[in-house]
Amino acid sequence: MKKTLLLLALAPLFATSLAGCSKVSFKALEPEEEILLPGIAHEVEVLRDEWGIPHIYCREDLECVTAQGYIQARDRFFEMDLFRNYGKGTLGVLFGANPAVRSVDRETRRVMTHPSDGRHVAEHIVESLDADLLAYLEAYAAGVNAYLDEMGSARAPVPGEYDFGLVLDGAEEPADWAPVDTVAIGRLFSMMLSAQLDVELGGAAMAAGLDAQTFADLAPSAPLDPTFALPGYYGSGALGSKWRPDAALLQRLRQAAPAIQAALDAREGPEYLHRFFGAEPGSNNWIVSAEHTAEGRVIVADDPHLPLWSPSVWHEVHIDATSLPKAKGEMNLRGVAFPGTPGIMIGHNQQIAWSVTTMGYDVSDLYQETVTGVDTVRFQGSDVAVQKVTVRFPRGPLDGDGFDEEKLCIVPHHGPLWSSEGFSAQELADPDQPCVDPSRGATAISGRWTGMEVSNEIGAALGIMKAGNVAEAKTAWLDFEVGAQNLLIGDIDGEVAYFPYARVPIRDGDLSASPPWLPMPGEGTHEWKGDIPVDELPQADNPASGFLVTANNDIVGTTADGNPVNDAHYLYYTRDLGLRAGRITRLLEEALAEGPVTLERMREIQTDTKSDLAAALLPHLLDAAGARADLVTSLGIGDALARLTAWDYSQPTGLSDHDTDAAPSSDAAEREAAIASSLFSSWLFQAIEATFRDELSAAGAAVAGRAGRADQAMHKAFFFALEEDRNHYFDNVNSAGTVETREEILLQALADAVTELQGRLGNDPEEWLWGRIHRAHLQSIFGVFGVPNAFDLGPVPEPGGLHTINVAGFNRDYTSTHGPSLRMFTVMDPEGPRSEQIIPGGTIDELDHPNHGDQLVPWLEGRYKVIATDPEAVLEAAEARQAAGITPGGRWLFSPQE
């Protein structure tokens, strides 16, 4: 806390204009470091502000990129090394060949396999790049490797994570950085945000174990809140009946159940390790047209919801190749990048700003392959050979050094096998074993994803960074084919666009009978037959409403009737509950009705913690209490009901400071809201488990646990069970001779919530404050493994909750490890864009450094830092940093290496 207050007391950054600014010199400030950097022809200046954010000034674009590579490596190299090995399927380099790590490496390598030859798709992508894009990646790699040279010669310290017990000896001597590493990281994030093969496996296990109506009820397609960004985009159309599987589909999936279970069994280790972004990644973004803002300028907002990692998933940077004397570059960028990648992913240049959220197109499919012989499957009436490719997985020093050679089985027309009936994961990887064998089982499961094929997201990212207006940005984004994003763009001329482009396959066959969100027949009847044309994908220019909101919701309403395959195009089976999108939309409409929306109002919306989920569900609990006053009395829940009845649905911590042991807030209303938040959140878990655990248990252990997690499908299923009086779900089918009622289940769940809170926090309800149990935990990779370590930040009390705008989701332990990884606003002023933002954590990954974790408190409190781009303001911040004695200092000088 003292460290943060010291930094907050330093001179503020002033967001002043670049327009008309003369070329500047920073010679008045002595460089704290002078670094020789290969690949540059001119000096590169780097100023750091009080937050440690590097402001890179150069004369040519690639010189800035080389300096960025060095700086990112200095600030975050272990994270970069982790990301590249994760993306390449070589985490064993860092952690050895323990079963959990090998399981993740196998899965990543499988998803990243180019089906033509079994090589990693990143290798194919690098080979496809034109000379300019390759030079861009090589310039970045040169900067990273310059830092690695210093680290190897002890001129720079080895990041502390390499000394942690989980990391193997020898890992602190990492291989040189190469363009393929950056591409693999980009593909990793695309995989996490768009490949849903693992989700389909879970759905298949659920469908195989349930009857048709129960599956349809417990895995609903429709949203709770039908707020759509572009309603009626494919025409109004008559709403059809809700989709449900037919008998033939369920029978086929039951036949495939052993292969489905084998694929699930192969996923050893923590689920979060398999899917760093969690099962349901999300974000909010919106844009408001110039005529509707108090600024009179377009405002772009973004808060991508990603893992709360330590260090942060984002590295902040300002790149300027235009302001130094004799500068002739194009780049003048401000924003954030994934460590291990050059440029920025979200932010602005001097003409446009852009923001992104996950679109969620269904771009991956599992296939149920029919085994016809040893290493053959049936396709279009013929037997097709399953290809075997040798893959080398690192063992690590503790496991005997070197590599394990395993086989990867590839169905040429679909992709790698995830499982083969009768084979364990180890046998499927054994080069001496076949891939499929009819004597052991008749079914195998293969998977296909658009990201297994070559595309040019590197070109799209560089193109949008250099775009001069909305139209140019959209043209550049046509190369962003994998990892679809809800791209919102605004420019200094007041133009606004929504352009969520990506490759979206069109499938053959009857999608209602064999839907793409479950394994499809692999014999050739449900193949991809091209992509949805770009002009038929959702998009909009200058919307008449003056604003546009996305929050991982259904964009056009194809799921509104619970049937996503009866519209012009199939886009996805289901999306978010719609609560965040709906609340943002309504709050913006209210703000606009009062007049032009202010930036302050936008901040309030982005940090809003009111629970529309509670508003939707609690009336049913209160109705139950009214119907069964006798139960309210016998269960002793009258006080709890009174608190929930009076609740305004906000979710503050109820504490006076950022510590779970802090004194309660002096604000009585805040305390009451915090107590109600704890009651509601516990009640929700108790009620969902009591309602659905018996049905889910029938589908097996792999499915039963969903009732105990904060699962979006369960929240939808619970809502619709209440709204549509599906009262049979409230009866426990395992309690012979007893029929439990809806009222009994809901009220007993509240009594169980009271018991839980008493056990956690004591008998005094005044101590049941939300911040006592609900905490943000910014985890390092070691924390993901479940190992206590000094690199984690927190846990710390956090406001917000499930599906609030300021999202702070959690599972049964009430700990949030996923949320707003960045909050950002950009005002597109022709005099020079102005931006403000905050990330959880800090810029520099070095324990005890002032910039390690220094943004956590402002992030928790919903505050923002103003980001300077004017060179004079940046210099002022650097001088303040240097005067405070913070190392690395305010000014670095990169000089050409002879």
Side-chain angles (χ1 to χ4, degrees):
M1 175 65 72
K2 290 180 179 178
K3 175 172 67 179
T4 303
L5 292 175
L6 168 66
L7 290 165
L8 290 174
L10 293 175
L13 294 175
F14 298 100
T16 55
S17 169
L18 265 177
C21 179
S22 61
K23 305 294 184 178
V24 298
S25 170
F26 303 118
K27 302 298 185 185
L29 183 63
E30 285 294 319
E32 195 237 8
E33 293 196 39
E34 293 191 39
I35 299 162
L36 297 179
L37 196 61
I40 62 173
H42 312 91
E43 289 184 342
V44 177
E45 296 276 4
V46 177
L47 302 184
R48 287 199 188 248
D49 60 30
E50 65 261 47
W51 303 99
I53 299 170
H55 299 254
I56 305 170
Y57 294 89
C58 60
R59 291 169 178 81
E60 296 182 0
D61 290 342
L62 293 189
E63 293 179 340
C64 272
V65 170
T66 300
Q68 184 186 16
Y70 179 96
I71 293 163
Q72 267 193 8
R74 178 157 177 162
D75 290 352
R76 300 285 191 86
F77 185 72
F78 180 80
E79 188 178 26
M80 294 166 60
D81 203 15
L82 173 69
F83 286 175
R84 70 167 165 176
N85 282 297
Y86 190 115
K88 291 162 71 174
T90 55
L91 279 174
V93 166
L94 297 174
F95 305 115
N98 73 71
V101 171
R102 180 57 57 84
S103 172
V104 174
D105 277 347
R106 283 174 179 160
E107 183 171 312
T108 303
R109 187 63 179 80
R110 188 182 299 126
V111 178
M112 297 287 191
T113 292
H114 195 283
S116 69
D117 58 8
R119 288 192 298 149
H120 197 296
V121 67
E123 298 174 24
H124 284 266
I125 292 172
V126 170
E127 291 170 358
S128 74
L129 295 176
D130 64 32
D132 288 342
L133 290 176
L134 187 59
Y136 173 62
L137 296 185
E138 287 175 338
Y140 175 81
V144 176
N145 290 329
Y147 178 74
L148 292 183
D149 287 345
E150 290 188 5
M151 197 171 83
S153 61
R155 287 177 290 137
V158 176
E161 288 94 336
Y162 288 105
D163 292 329
F164 193 75
L166 284 183
V167 179
L168 300 177
D169 292 339
E172 72 275 10
E173 299 177 3
D176 282 351
W177 199 268
V180 71
D181 296 320
T182 293
V183 175
I185 290 173
R187 231 10 165 223
L188 168 69
F189 282 83
S190 293
M191 177 186 81
M192 294 296 186
L193 294 170
S194 69
Q196 298 291 311
L197 294 166
D198 55 336
V199 176
E200 289 187 28
L201 279 174
M206 192 170 171
L210 299 174
D211 64 79
Q213 190 59 56
T214 302
F215 176 76
D217 288 345
L218 300 192
S221 172
L224 266 69
D225 185 327
T227 297
F228 310 119
L230 303 174
Y233 189 80
Y234 289 136
S236 55
L239 294 180
S241 59
K242 294 179 181 178
W243 177 87
R244 61 181 237 174
D246 62 21
L249 171 59
L250 291 182
Q251 179 60 28
R252 178 169 64 79
L253 292 176
R254 286 168 188 147
Q255 291 172 350
I260 293 167
Q261 190 60 50
L264 291 169
D265 290 344
R267 308 182 82 239
E268 297 188 46
E271 178 68 20
Y272 201 60
L273 186 59
H274 275 276
R275 194 172 183 83
F276 267 20
F277 284 6
E280 294 153 343
S283 307
N284 305 320
N285 72 342
W286 67 85
I287 193 166
V288 181
S289 300
E291 63 269 27
H292 294 289
T293 70
E295 305 274 346
R297 311 296 182 195
V298 173
I299 299 180
V300 183
D302 203 2
D303 56 302
H305 303 159
L306 297 174
L308 299 180
W309 285 331
S310 178
S312 167
V313 67
W314 299 111
H315 187 256
E316 301 173 283
V317 69
H318 170 211
I319 294 172
D320 186 345
T322 66
S323 294
L324 287 181
K326 300 182 181 179
K328 53 184 179 181
E330 297 179 72
M331 287 184 169
N332 195 337
L333 309 167
R334 180 69 192 89
V336 294
F338 292 129
T341 64
I344 62 173
M345 180 65 188
I346 301 170
H348 67 86
N349 61 25
Q350 296 302 294
Q351 289 79 38
I352 69 165
W354 62 98
S355 68
V356 295
T357 69
T358 305
M359 177 63 187
Y361 293 133
D362 185 350
V363 294
S364 54
D365 284 322
L366 292 175
Y367 293 91
Q368 183 176 335
E369 305 288 353
T370 300
V371 178
T372 56
V374 174
D375 287 336
T376 63
V377 296
R378 179 61 50 84
F379 184 67
Q380 295 180 344
S382 300
D383 291 350
V384 176
V386 178
Q387 305 298 315
K388 297 180 182 178
V389 175
T390 299
V391 180
R392 302 173 79 219
F393 289 104
R395 282 200 294 260
L398 295 182
D399 303 293
D401 260 332
F403 295 83
D404 287 324
E405 288 196 345
E406 298 189 355
K407 78 174 187 294
L408 191 65
C409 301
I410 302 173
V411 177
H413 44 277
H414 290 150
L417 289 184
W418 280 60
S419 66
S420 182
E421 186 177 351
F423 290 80
S424 67
Q426 193 59 43
E427 289 173 318
L428 190 60
D430 186 345
D432 296 326
Q433 295 271 2
C435 292
V436 297
D437 185 339
S439 69
R440 299 174 69 171
T443 303
I445 302 294
S446 65
R448 184 177 186 183
W449 169 48
T450 55
M452 293 173 176
E453 301 171 28
V454 172
S455 56
N456 188 22
E457 285 69 37
I458 297 292
L462 185 58
I464 201 169
M465 284 186 262
K466 294 187 175 184
N469 53 45
V470 161
E472 291 178 9
K474 289 171 62 178
T475 298
W477 206 249
L478 289 171
D479 279 330
F480 204 92
E481 295 185 323
V482 178
Q485 297 294 303
N486 282 304
L487 177 70
L488 291 175
I489 323 161
D491 65 25
I492 57 175
D493 295 324
E495 295 293 306
V496 166
Y498 169 56
F499 195 60
Y501 174 72
R503 280 192 57 207
V504 183
I506 299 173
R507 283 87 168 176
D508 228 337
D510 181 352
L511 299 190
S512 182
S514 294
W517 56 89
L518 294 170
M520 297 193 297
E523 297 185 14
T525 55
H526 288 73
E527 302 307 298
W528 293 1
K529 57 176 185 178
D531 302 321
I532 298 176
V534 61
D535 59 351
E536 296 178 28
L537 287 170
Q539 54 195 282
D541 292 306
N542 300 313
S545 64
F547 70 93
L548 197 144
V549 175
T550 85
N552 317 115
N553 53 317
D554 179 349
I555 293 299
V556 296
T558 59
T559 67
D561 59 357
N563 189 340
V565 291
N566 59 355
D567 298 276
H569 289 296
Y570 165 67
L571 302 177
Y572 30 62
Y573 171 64
T574 189
R575 294 301 294 130
D576 182 80
L577 280 67
L579 296 174
R580 287 180 287 118
R583 182 160 179 80
I584 294 168
T585 298
R586 287 187 290 276
L587 290 176
L588 280 174
E589 287 173 341
E590 291 172 9
L592 292 172
E594 297 169 6
V597 64
T598 65
L599 197 55
E600 179 58 33
R601 188 69 173 272
M602 300 266 253
R603 296 186 196 104
E604 291 172 359
I605 294 172
Q606 199 170 64
T607 56
D608 179 84
T609 68
K610 288 207 171 180
S611 174
D612 277 4
L613 182 64
L617 296 178
L618 281 182
H620 296 283
L621 173 62
L622 301 180
D623 287 346
R628 291 296 306 272
D630 60 318
L631 271 181
V632 173
T633 300
S634 64
L635 292 172
I637 54 175
D639 177 69
L641 282 165
R643 292 177 188 273
L644 289 172
T645 301
W647 186 25
D648 67 355
Y649 303 128
S650 65
Q651 297 199 261
T653 66
L655 299 175
S656 60
D657 206 345
H658 307 291
D659 189 309
T660 52
D661 296 324
S665 168
S666 60
D667 186 323
E670 185 177 311
R671 293 196 305 272
E672 285 301 318
I675 295 167
S677 295
S678 298
L679 284 165
F680 167 73
S681 299
S682 178
W683 170 79
L684 182 62
F685 278 119
Q686 310 283 354
I688 287 177
E689 286 190 82
T691 303
F692 296 128
R693 64 187 166 203
D694 51 336
E695 285 84 8
L696 289 173
S697 294
V703 174
R706 294 184 69 168
R709 301 200 303 263
D711 187 298
Q712 287 193 15
M714 291 296 96
H715 295 158
K716 287 185 179 183
F718 187 54
F719 171 79
F720 288 122
L722 292 169
E723 288 285 306
E724 299 177 5
D725 295 326
R726 300 172 185 169
N727 291 326
H728 63 284
Y729 286 113
F730 297 100
D731 174 39
N732 185 351
V733 297
N734 297 320
S735 59
T738 303
V739 177
E740 291 83 6
T741 68
R742 166 195 182 113
E743 289 77 17
E744 289 169 345
I745 292 297
L746 297 183
L747 294 173
Q748 182 61 52
L750 184 57
D752 292 340
V754 168
T755 299
E756 180 189 12
L757 293 174
Q758 288 172 334
R760 283 177 174 268
L761 300 172
N763 291 331
D764 182 3
E766 297 300 319
E767 279 298 312
W768 299 351
L769 301 169
W770 186 222
R772 297 272 193 242
I773 59 172
H774 180 246
R775 302 169 298 169
H777 189 183
L778 280 61
Q779 291 183 309
S780 67
I781 182 62
F782 313 124
V784 172
F785 272 110
V787 179
N789 65 94
F791 299 95
D792 286 10
L793 290 172
V796 290
E798 183 186 17
L802 299 169
H803 312 296
T804 54
I805 297 174
N806 184 12
V807 74
F810 49 87
N811 276 314
R812 203 64 186 86
D813 63 356
Y814 302 102
T815 298
S816 175
T817 57
H818 181 275
S821 62
L822 164 76
R823 297 191 189 105
M824 174 184 280
F825 290 104
T826 303
V827 179
M828 290 310 298
D829 192 334
E831 297 295 313
R834 307 190 307 277
S835 63
E836 55 182 59
Q837 66 191 52
I838 200 76
I839 61 172
T843 299
I844 295 176
D845 179 26
E846 182 184 325
L847 294 180
D848 300 323
H849 191 279
N851 296 128
H852 179 83
D854 61 330
Q855 298 184 52
L856 178 57
V857 169
W859 177 82
L860 288 167
E861 295 177 349
R863 293 189 280 120
Y864 298 75
K865 58 187 190 296
V866 177
I867 306 301
T869 54
D870 176 79
E872 293 182 2
V874 172
L875 177 59
E876 184 176 350
E879 289 172 336
R881 178 184 183 86
Q882 203 131 315
I886 300 174
T887 301
R891 179 185 171 214
W892 298 5
L893 180 64
F894 289 92
S895 299
Q897 188 178 70
E898 297 297 333

